[in-house]
Amino acid sequence: MPRSFIDPDDIRTRFSRAMSDMYRAEVPQYGTLLALVDRVNRETLARDPALAARLDRTGECARLSDERHGAIRLGTPQELALIARAFAIMNMVAVGYYDLAAAGIPVHSTAFRPVDEAALRRNPFRVFTSLLRLELIEDPELRAEAAGILDKRQIFTDGLLLLIAKAEREGGLDDADATSFVGELLETFRWHAQATVDEPTYGRLLDAHRLIADIVSFKGPHINHLTPRTIDIDAVQAAMPGEGIVPKEVIEGPPRRNCPVLLRQTSFKALDEAIAFPTGDGGFVKGRHTARFGEVEQRGVALTAKGRALYDALLAEQFKDAGADAFARFPDDWTQLRREGLAFFRYSVIENGDGACNSGAVADTLDAAIAAGQVTADPIIYEDFLPVSAAGIFRSNLGDGAPSPYRANADRTAFEAALGAPVKDEIGLYAALEAASRDQVCRQLGVIA
């Protein structure tokens, strides 16, 4: 990389911090939430030195303060293709495909995020990005009207489009251009209190689905939430009311465990915000809109295909019998999770101060080296999302009741065609991280896996 270009990871950090500052100014309660999460994290680490040591060893402590994920909802394939090009400048690619239509939300989604280990340690900023499925609007006239509205808007500034093209042409951005890029891209995510449709049109879109109204009725895909990471989401949930924050009723995702898996999420209720509808004669009429909220997440270990199959089967059981404790059958011990091949782990040699192996003669096998205290196996953090949890968060903040699945199949092919590339397989990424660490340890110690 030419010396004058800013590292894409640094651009991502600049953007995530600028986004956080903007959202804090737009939604002051988000700032209160950040302070609460920071306090809970510090208190949790102080109470649990072993957890603090593990998070420090794996680099998670260093990234906690910067860790965020945001979410936006796009209206057209063209918007998705362009946002992918913008995210690529920040070393973020599309990982995973999520069909939310099955849960009553007329979108399908991916997560743009960094994928290599060094980039994740520096700043794992993610943006959960949804694309409206216009074909799920049942009324053909409303569907055509929504398509026409979306086709007329441009959610990117001219300056941003020029900078994207320049970065692609020249291979990067210098400091001045990177600063401009962050500022221009921020405009895409900014809140606009003035709708682009009149009140009757908004009402028809709202009747079709609240999310459709949110996507179609505004100048751009305002960021609808920004999410810090906690290491004790139950403590945050319990403390929210004392900070004047009204949380959603339940935490989405797996139950509380000694060995957290996948992802748990909660949020505060979406804001009921004043907006203005154009009247067609140059005037405006006042209205209200509900979309933006604050969210908190707790991330656990990434599961293997075997582990995810077990998790999904137990989740289905739990849905059928809410009074049962189906997840009691999911192992809650790091060693058992690893030995049964249910979760991914990062292996590393425990070294003493002079860089030598920490104890005695090295064992013959990886398991023996772990048992002898010569190798650690640390859980690999889950960097992605759960469609059921995402739908639950969306519904609770849109005011929707029970989900009403759309009569449609997932359309990953259409999504990837709009994106212009296949989405990356998250399980394959975790498997590669585990394999690389295991192979490195085996080579270093001369043991077999």
Side-chain angles (χ1 to χ4, degrees):
M1 177 185 297
R3 196 176 299 243
S4 60
F5 285 164
I6 300 298
D7 190 302
D9 293 339
D10 289 336
I11 302 177
R12 184 176 66 258
T13 294
R14 291 186 190 186
F15 179 71
S16 67
R17 290 175 179 173
M19 174 97 81
S20 188
D21 290 343
M22 181 184 76
Y23 200 64
R24 190 197 305 252
E26 292 181 347
V27 183
Q29 207 168 42
Y30 166 71
T32 305
L33 186 64
L34 287 183
L36 172 60
V37 168
D38 179 66
R39 188 184 82 225
V40 168
N41 286 347
R42 285 186 284 105
E43 291 172 349
T44 304
L45 292 172
R47 284 195 310 271
D48 192 341
L51 173 64
R54 176 166 63 80
L55 296 185
D56 187 56
R57 184 171 61 245
T58 58
E60 290 178 56
C61 274
R63 70 184 234 185
L64 266 180
S65 61
D66 266 336
E67 187 154 1
R68 301 283 187 278
H69 93 249
I72 57 171
R73 304 156 182 166
L74 304 174
T76 68
Q78 293 76 20
E79 291 175 356
L80 180 64
L82 278 169
I83 205 72
R85 292 169 62 195
F87 285 141
I89 293 169
M90 299 186 286
N91 199 19
M92 299 165 70
V93 299
V95 179
Y97 172 80
Y98 305 92
D99 171 32
L100 272 62
I105 310 293
V107 300
H108 44 186
S109 313
T110 191
F112 286 94
R113 67 168 179 90
V115 296
D116 64 89
E117 191 162 23
L120 287 166
R121 287 194 176 199
R122 292 182 69 176
N123 187 329
F125 180 62
R126 321 162 186 86
V127 180
F128 190 81
T129 304
S130 300
L131 175 64
L132 176 62
R133 295 184 66 179
L134 279 169
E135 74 274 13
L136 298 182
I137 299 177
E138 293 183 358
D139 181 342
E141 291 186 7
L142 184 63
R143 188 189 316 134
E145 186 175 8
I149 294 167
L150 291 170
D151 284 342
K152 292 175 185 175
R153 77 176 185 180
Q154 172 56 272
I155 67 171
F156 304 102
T157 66
D158 291 341
L160 179 65
L161 296 176
L162 289 173
L163 285 166
I164 291 172
K166 182 175 184 179
E168 292 171 342
R169 183 175 64 251
E170 299 182 3
L173 296 173
D174 63 21
D175 184 67
D177 283 339
T179 298
S180 297
F181 172 83
V182 168
E184 297 287 349
L185 182 56
L186 211 59
E187 292 305 309
T188 299
F189 293 78
R190 192 178 297 281
W191 170 249
H192 298 281
Q194 182 176 312
T196 57
V197 301
D198 59 28
E199 191 171 23
T201 301
Y202 175 85
R204 292 194 301 275
L205 294 168
L206 195 69
D207 288 343
H209 198 285
R210 286 180 175 271
L211 202 73
I212 295 172
D214 183 61
I215 295 171
V216 177
S217 303
F218 295 91
K219 180 180 179 180
H222 42 253
I223 184 168
N224 56 74
H225 66 270
L226 203 55
T227 305
R229 177 184 165 197
T230 184
I231 47 179
D232 190 345
I233 199 168
D234 298 274
V236 173
Q237 175 92 341
M240 277 188 186
E243 301 293 332
I245 302 173
V246 181
K248 70 187 300 295
E249 289 75 13
V250 297
I251 295 171
E252 300 284 348
R256 184 180 180 93
R257 295 165 44 87
N258 294 321
C259 301
V261 302
L262 298 174
L263 177 67
R264 303 179 74 206
Q265 297 171 286
T266 190
S267 67
F268 63 70
K269 298 294 187 179
L271 306 175
D272 179 36
E273 302 184 79
I275 60 172
F277 296 106
T279 58
D281 57 3
F284 293 90
V285 60
K286 293 180 180 179
R288 310 293 298 181
H289 180 68
T290 302
R292 300 189 299 164
F293 56 95
E295 186 181 76
V296 183
E297 65 185 17
Q298 179 176 356
R299 292 187 172 271
V301 67
L303 299 183
T304 63
K306 177 183 176 182
R308 188 58 185 268
L310 176 59
Y311 174 85
D312 289 344
L314 296 178
L315 180 65
E317 261 186 60
Q318 194 73 54
F319 274 142
K320 288 180 182 176
D321 184 359
D325 186 11
F327 283 103
R329 302 205 306 277
F330 200 101
D332 197 10
D333 173 82
W334 293 126
T335 299
Q336 190 177 358
L337 286 168
R338 184 180 64 82
R339 286 180 174 169
E340 293 187 19
L342 298 173
F344 289 109
F345 290 82
R346 178 182 290 102
Y347 298 95
S348 57
V349 174
I350 301 174
E351 298 177 342
N352 58 30
D354 61 7
C357 182
N358 204 29
S359 64
V362 175
D364 317 9
T365 67
L366 185 59
D367 272 352
I370 292 170
Q374 296 165 342
V375 172
T376 60
D378 292 307
I380 293 177
I381 200 70
Y382 183 65
E383 307 285 354
D384 297 289
F385 297 90
L386 301 174
V388 172
S389 297
I393 292 283
F394 278 16
R395 284 196 303 272
S396 69
N397 283 287
L398 291 167
D400 289 353
S404 177
Y406 286 91
R407 292 188 298 275
N409 295 320
D411 197 351
R412 178 171 177 161
T413 300
F415 187 89
E416 291 181 330
L419 184 66
V423 299
K424 290 190 177 294
D425 170 48
E426 62 271 28
I427 289 182
L429 293 172
Y430 298 122
L433 288 174
E434 180 181 83
S437 71
R438 183 182 60 241
D439 293 348
Q440 170 63 29
V441 165
C442 289
R443 284 195 303 270
Q444 185 175 344
L445 299 182
V447 299
I448 59 174

